[in-house]
Amino acid sequence: MAVPCDFEHWRLIVTVTSRTPFTATVLGIPRIGPRRELKRAIESYWAGRIDAAELHGVAKTLRSDQLTALRAAGLDSVPVGTFSYYDQVLDTAVLLGALPPRVAGIADPLERYFAAARGAESIEPLEMTKWFDTNYHYLVPEIGSDTTFSLHPEKILDELREALELGVPARPVVVGPLTFLKLAKGIDGVAPLSRLGELVPLYRELLRQLAAAGAEWVQLDEPVLVTDLSDDEIALAADTYAQLTQAPQRPAILVATYFGRPGAALAALAGTEIDAIAVDFTRGTTADDIAAIPALANKLLVAGVVNGRNVWRTDLDQALGTLGTLLGSTGALAVSTSSSLLHVPYSLSAETDLDPALRSWLAFGAEKVAEVRSLATALRAGTEAVADELATARAALASRRQDPRLHNETVRARLDSLGPDADRRAPAEERRVLQRERLDLPPLPTTTIGSYPQTSAIRKARAALRANEIGVEEYNRRMRAEIDAVIALQERLGLDVLVHGEPERNDMVQYFAEQLDGFAATANGWVQSYGTRCVRPPILYGDVVRREPMTVEWISYAQSLTDKPVKGMLTGPVTILAWSFVRDDQPLADSARQVALAIRDETIDLQSAGIRVIQVDEPALRELLPLRAEAKPDYLDWSVRAFRLATSGVSDATQIHTHLCYSEFGEVIDAIAALDADVTSIEAARSRMEVLDDLNAAGFHLGVGPGVYDIHSPRVPSVEEITTSLRAALKAVPADRLWVNPDCGLKTRGPAEVEAALANMVQAANAVR
Ligand code: GLN
Ligand code: ZN
């Protein structure tokens, strides 16, 4: 209240919301540490190198640094509680006393928490799955008949107190009851949502305790409101929030929606007494959608105009235009990111090697906070107050639009000139005859998915190359030695279609991104994928050009060592996009075609080098599936076409494989069939081959290799087990279409396990033959 102009602003708004509104915020913050300090500390704790007190110390320092920085950056409401040792949904399960009974016996709370996340001796961890359409994975709570909810708010209360002591305008953030239950898995036939009534009193008590501890605002995250909900579910949402707002003592309530359009849920929520709603304006919601809901006129609208998911600098003029229009339809307006900043790297300041032009087009977490502040300042004090920021943004945007790397005429002309048959091959039956003749494989051919164990020799060689201790020559020599060993191993084991083992690849997307124009790598752009696992997605900023063959030397070398066919190994266009930060100045479908063209050129070069089998991996096909049903057909259409464009340049005698994993395939089964790959290897061991029935129902008639054992576990499957899997598969697939392979690549496994497991797999295939 010390600043007079703030006071004026507040007085204006207090009349409409009866709560002190805020003007600039973000919906959540990254937690892994700017230099992955938390990741290292947690892993040290797991390894017994540090104790819990030391881990808590690292976490506390990271939190206070971050909170102080956010306040200093000018946010007048700062999210707290988005910190986590593993995952925010797991934290919510702890908050609500909903950890699975199998960990209840573990006395130490931190050990119990990590056991639920990662398993422990004889304790299965919770399942993990993708958080909406992001590449972040949350732990799936289990709600069974023996789940009895109870409130355990210590974490959020501690973090609130800690923030208030630092003088930070703290807004506790908690996953809302609807989202929590919708994301949970029912055990023994329990429908999680049917338990909503039990959660309401717990959330009301939580609200009371947060208010008593000094919280003015609380944020309840309900991203599930942007998915397709039934009318009943929307009514349930409205009813739940009507009840929560009646809590006798509570902070002002912000319900946060993000990752899409809240649709009908928005009007339903606006009809309750909640104080504020966060809406993602980067995913289709317009100012007109807001104007159409009169009840929003007495709410604080938290407008997500700064994209929390991508890495691009915001068009501040355009954002101001949106904000200006919104001013007329809402009681008060706050500027925000569209989602938590969990999904972007901390700050551009850690990047020293980026091309200066590209750098000027980007905004990571810290830069997005500054954008929020600039926009809020412009709203309050007029655009003159941020004239410099606006000018810088305009110049960067202009430079980006004019950059020749964003518009490569050669690539665009090539794509335009492709005929209608460019994504089509001869009928599968004709291809099969040609391939059978050329490959001469036994029935139930055995193969692997691509990678072999990342041995310590490989890691050492990579580190030595990075440290300039060895040159590229020596590095390549060591990689060839790895390939020698992997080929010899496969020959010894008697596998039929061999692979080179992918020793030269750091990562299946980064490897290609580094060799394609239009992509840039970051030095420190780490983003949490799950738990302590972080990824550094490449940035796709321009038109994609393949400079030269990317894999041919390696695969040809491997093929020179054996008479058996060696699979060329490529990553598909959809997966390359899914695991990158993509450009936002053209439809994703257009970027997909450009990547597809580069992969297509590579398949043709592999074929010319004598490679007879080529695998194009698409494990992320399911991941990019839009959240709303109405958007799914278009996505499935362009993603399938991109894959087919990438794989239809080769002759009909060249056998195309694909590989899919990490997901429930139900919704994309038709698309898998439409990929028209000669052979599809697919994760199936954990779902007990059910995927095969689904494929049959979709009319799938091509080769299929349902994973016969789960590579996610170090356990070596016995010959009997694999034989049983194969016999189960043969009930659904005729022998002449069935392939024998593990579930996924072997890079995370140890060499001894891999050898033993594959020996058993080959033996099982022989037995069944
Ligand atoms: N070819 C890759 C490998 O074997 C596929 C990895 C994946 O499916 N994610 O490692
Ligand atoms: Zn896989």
Side-chain angles (χ1 to χ4, degrees), residues 271-285:
T272 72
E273 299 288 304
I274 62 168
D275 304 271
I277 303 183
V279 175
D280 182 341
F281 285 95
T282 69
R283 290 279 184 109
T285 301

Side-chain angles (χ1 to χ4, degrees), residues 730-744:
L730 278 168
K731 292 214 175 84
V733 179
D736 66 344
R737 290 208 278 116
L738 187 64
W739 284 66
V740 181
N741 47 257
D743 246 356
C744 192

